[in-house]
């Protein structure tokens, strides 16, 4: 009986595991293999060069810049995005004042409208969002500097994407704006599943909204927050950061490599410079950074599961 059960399970999993190995695991293996070659990506001929690509990468100043920028994306973008999403979702679901004849636990007035407003950027493609903000950041005719001129702050008109000191922060702001709405909806769904009796008991005991958030909401929502942190970090290290930097910045990746991230550097080396082997080497480093980030978040965020 047990033998038949395991055979059924193995047969059921064989096809999906085979597809996963073919389309996910095998490309990783190929990338690691090509990182030890001098493959250009254009010719089928190549030879093994050992660790030459890795030595070159360690001596590459632009690689270290891109690594630092990617680490900033992975740490700061999820922190700001999830922090804002938790605040907005808490106010939408729990942060309102008791109205006469209404429930004790309620969201702020117009919470339904706020959900739509916060989620709206998710309807737009990240490419469209990047283009819109590229126009908004234009130092001459952009909406931001035009607004500053309109309120009399003519002297405070930065170059935004043209200033190496602030260009990366401008790009990060776009990524936060475009993703925070998704997590507002996600956290709102989690908060809606928390029994209202827990909030009512906390309020009856004299707990403030601040205390209620940190003692009731956040502990019960922690698994969702942790998963969201890993998901947001992977987005910030991967396609999302590539899209906004590629579309919005000069070069792209400028000025002076001030916005270059690892995934963009991989793209440039592979498709602009014809150095596919070196690009896969940087890709392997990106894989290590992503796995290390996910493992670190899961390790530091581990806590005893709370049930209700």
């Amino acid at each position: 009986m047990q033998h038949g059960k395991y055979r059924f399970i193995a047969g059921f999993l064989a096809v999906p595991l085979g597809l996963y190995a073919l389309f996910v695991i095998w490309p990783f293996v190929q990338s690691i293999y090509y990182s030890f070659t001098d493959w250009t990506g254009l010719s089928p001929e190549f030879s093994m060069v050992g660790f030459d690509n890795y030595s070159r990468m360690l001596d590459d100043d632009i690689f270290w810049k891109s690594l630092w920028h990617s680490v900033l994306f992975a740490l700061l973008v999820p922190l700001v995005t999830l922090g804002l999403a938790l605040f907005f979702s808490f106010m939408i679901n729990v942060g309102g004042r008791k109205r006469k004849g209404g429930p004790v636990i309620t969201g702020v007035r117009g919470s339904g409208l706020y959900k739509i407003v916060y989620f709206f950027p998710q309807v737009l493609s990240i490419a469209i969002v990047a283009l819109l903000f590229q126009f908004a950041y234009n130092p001459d005719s952009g909406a931001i500097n035009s607004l500053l001129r309109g309120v009399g702050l003519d002297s405070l008109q930065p170059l935004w994407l043209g200033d190496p000191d602030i260009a990366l922060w401008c790009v990060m702001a776009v990524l936060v704006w475009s993703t925070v709405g998704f997590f507002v909806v996600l956290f709102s769904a989690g908060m809606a599943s928390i029994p209202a009796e827990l909030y009512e008991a906390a309020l009856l005991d004299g707990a403030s909204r601040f205390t209620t958030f940190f003692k009731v909401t956040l502990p019960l929502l922690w698994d969702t927050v942790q998963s969201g942190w890993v998901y947001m970090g992977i987005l910030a290290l991967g396609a999302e950061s590539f899209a906004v930097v590629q579309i919005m910045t000069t070069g792209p990746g400028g000025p002076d490599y001030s916005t270059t991230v690892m995934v963009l550097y991989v793209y440039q080396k592979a498709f602009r410079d014809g150095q596919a082997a070196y690009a896969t080497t940087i890709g392997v480093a990106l894989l290590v950074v992503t796995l290390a980030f996910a493992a670190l978040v899961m390790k530091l965020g581990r806590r005893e599961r709370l049930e209700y």
Side-chain angles (χ1 to χ4, degrees):
M1 186 71 176
Q2 291 294 324
H3 178 70
K5 181 180 73 172
Y6 293 130
R7 185 168 57 188
F8 171 77
I9 294 174
F12 185 78
L13 294 177
V15 174
L17 287 178
L19 292 174
Y20 183 82
L22 178 63
F23 293 107
V24 178
I25 302 299
W26 181 242
F28 283 128
V29 174
Q30 283 184 308
S31 297
I32 295 172
Y33 171 74
Y34 284 125
S35 70
F36 293 101
T37 70
D38 60 357
W39 184 45
T40 64
L42 302 174
S43 171
E45 299 179 359
F46 57 86
S47 58
M48 302 298 294
V49 296
F51 289 93
D52 288 357
N53 288 323
Y54 289 92
S55 299
R56 175 187 171 187
M57 182 180 68
L58 295 177
D59 293 330
D60 188 346
D61 292 337
I62 301 175
F63 164 75
W64 288 109
K65 273 190 175 183
S66 67
L67 174 60
W68 172 240
H69 297 157
S70 293
V71 169
L72 285 178
F73 264 90
L75 295 178
L76 298 182
V77 172
L79 178 65
V80 176
T81 301
L82 299 185
L84 289 174
L86 281 169
F87 172 75
F88 291 147
S89 54
F90 182 78
M91 297 305 294
I92 287 172
N93 292 275
V94 186
R97 297 294 180 183
K98 183 181 183 303
R99 303 185 187 100
K100 186 178 296 184
V104 176
I105 304 301
T106 183
V108 296
R109 292 184 183 275
S111 57
L113 176 62
Y114 291 142
K115 285 183 181 179
I116 297 174
V117 171
Y118 293 143
F119 190 76
F120 174 73
Q122 291 295 309
V123 180
L124 302 176
S125 164
I126 187 64
I128 295 175
V129 171
L131 283 173
L132 290 174
F133 273 91
Q134 184 185 43
F135 292 131
Y137 281 132
N138 188 296
D140 298 321
S141 58
I144 299 177
N145 279 0
S146 297
L147 179 63
L148 292 176
R149 287 193 294 269
V151 296
L153 297 176
D154 298 70
S155 60
L156 183 63
Q157 296 187 48
L159 294 176
W160 300 112
L161 297 175
D163 187 340
D165 295 328
I166 63 174
L168 186 69
W169 307 107
C170 294
V171 173
M172 286 185 182
V174 175
L175 202 55
V176 171
W177 183 87
S178 66
T179 53
V180 69
F182 170 80
F183 291 100
V184 169
V185 175
L186 179 66
F187 294 151
S188 293
M191 290 180 190
S193 66
I194 299 175
E197 292 81 4
L198 296 178
Y199 290 115
E200 292 173 357
L203 293 177
L204 289 174
D205 288 339
S208 64
R209 301 290 182 183
F210 182 85
T211 304
T212 302
F213 174 78
F214 283 100
K215 296 298 184 180
V216 178
T217 304
L218 189 58
L220 294 176
L221 207 62
W222 184 252
D223 287 344
T224 305
V225 173
Q226 186 183 43
S227 300
W229 192 288
V230 174
Y231 175 70
M232 188 63 222
I234 293 174
L235 282 183
L237 286 169
E240 298 289 306
S241 62
F242 169 79
V244 292
V245 173
Q246 171 74 7
I247 294 171
M248 293 178 61
T249 61
T250 58
D256 193 27
Y257 300 104
S258 60
T259 57
T260 300
V261 291
M262 291 181 71
V263 65
L264 175 66
Y265 200 38
V266 170
Y267 172 83
Q268 290 175 336
K269 286 300 176 184
F271 298 102
R272 185 192 66 186
D273 302 336
Q275 302 175 17
Y278 186 53
T280 58
T281 305
I282 303 171
V284 171
L286 178 59
L287 172 64
V288 173
V289 170
T290 304
L291 293 176
F293 168 80
L296 181 64
V297 172
M298 298 301 290
K299 177 70 175 178
L300 296 179
R302 184 181 303 167
R303 60 173 62 188
E304 184 179 351
R305 183 179 179 85
L306 298 176
E307 297 182 357
Y308 51 89

